[in-house]
């Protein structure tokens, strides 16, 4: 009886691990290109409002530790880096380093009203 329970628990654990790793691989393929340094050497503010970001493109250098802050002058918004699990809300910041050059699409991830779906921009890492 006891061994059956253990076997069941073991099987469930394996299934859970498989499910989590499969999920991680499909929804966050670019997380590996971004790391979270402890200290920033550069600051970037993404200014949001109803319903746009203040720039279409934000430029950062590859490997640079950038403190990215999201500020909002109207409405409550957030930034999500597409294809990653990284999000930053209004009035919050995160120190990130983009370790691979390229274009990272960002969009507002908080349902903020009628213009929400237009709130898109790019972080260009060079
Ligand atoms: Cu929004």
């Amino acid at each position: 009886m006891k061994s059956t329970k253990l076997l069941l628990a073991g099987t469930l654990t394996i299934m859970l691990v498989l499910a989590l790793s499969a999920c991680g691989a499909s929804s966050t393929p670019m997380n590996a290109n971004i790391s979270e340094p402890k200290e920033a050497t550069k600051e970037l503010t993404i200014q949001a409002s109803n319903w746009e970001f203040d720039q279409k493109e934000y430029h950062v250098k590859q490997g640079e530790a950038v403190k990215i802050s999201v500020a909002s002058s109207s409405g409550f918004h957030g930034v999500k880096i597409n294809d990653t699990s990284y999000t930053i809300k209004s009035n919050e910041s995160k120190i990130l380093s983009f370790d691979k050059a390229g274009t990272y699409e960002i969009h507002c991830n908080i349902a903020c009203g009628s213009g929400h779906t237009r709130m898109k921009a790019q972080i260009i890492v060079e």
Side-chain angles (χ1 to χ4, degrees), residues 43-48 54-55 58 66-72:
E43 297 203 10
L44 169 70
T45 299
I46 297 177
Q47 183 74 46
D54 64 331
Q55 292 179 49
Y58 300 89
V66 189
K67 181 181 179 185
I68 302 176
S69 305
V70 177
S72 178

Side-chain angles (χ1 to χ4, degrees), residues 69-84:
S69 305
V70 177
S72 178
S73 53
S74 60
F76 190 78
H77 308 282
V79 164
K80 177 170 171 75
I81 304 172
N82 293 16
D83 302 322
T84 75

Side-chain angles (χ1 to χ4, degrees), residues 51-97:
W51 281 277
E52 60 183 6
F53 295 114
D54 64 331
Q55 292 179 49
K56 287 276 158 236
E57 297 177 355
Y58 300 89
H59 291 259
V60 303
K61 290 204 175 71
Q62 181 180 349
E64 194 168 48
V66 189
K67 181 181 179 185
I68 302 176
S69 305
V70 177
S72 178
S73 53
S74 60
F76 190 78
H77 308 282
V79 164
K80 177 170 171 75
I81 304 172
N82 293 16
D83 302 322
T84 75
S85 60
Y86 289 104
T87 59
I88 309 167
K89 281 186 250 173
S90 287
N91 306 318
E92 285 186 1
S93 63
K94 218 164 249 184
I95 300 172
L96 298 178
S97 167

Side-chain angles (χ1 to χ4, degrees), residues 51 76-78 108-113 116-117 119:
W51 281 277
F76 190 78
H77 308 282
C108 178
N109 67 326
I110 291 172
C112 57
H116 172 62
T117 54
M119 294 189 66

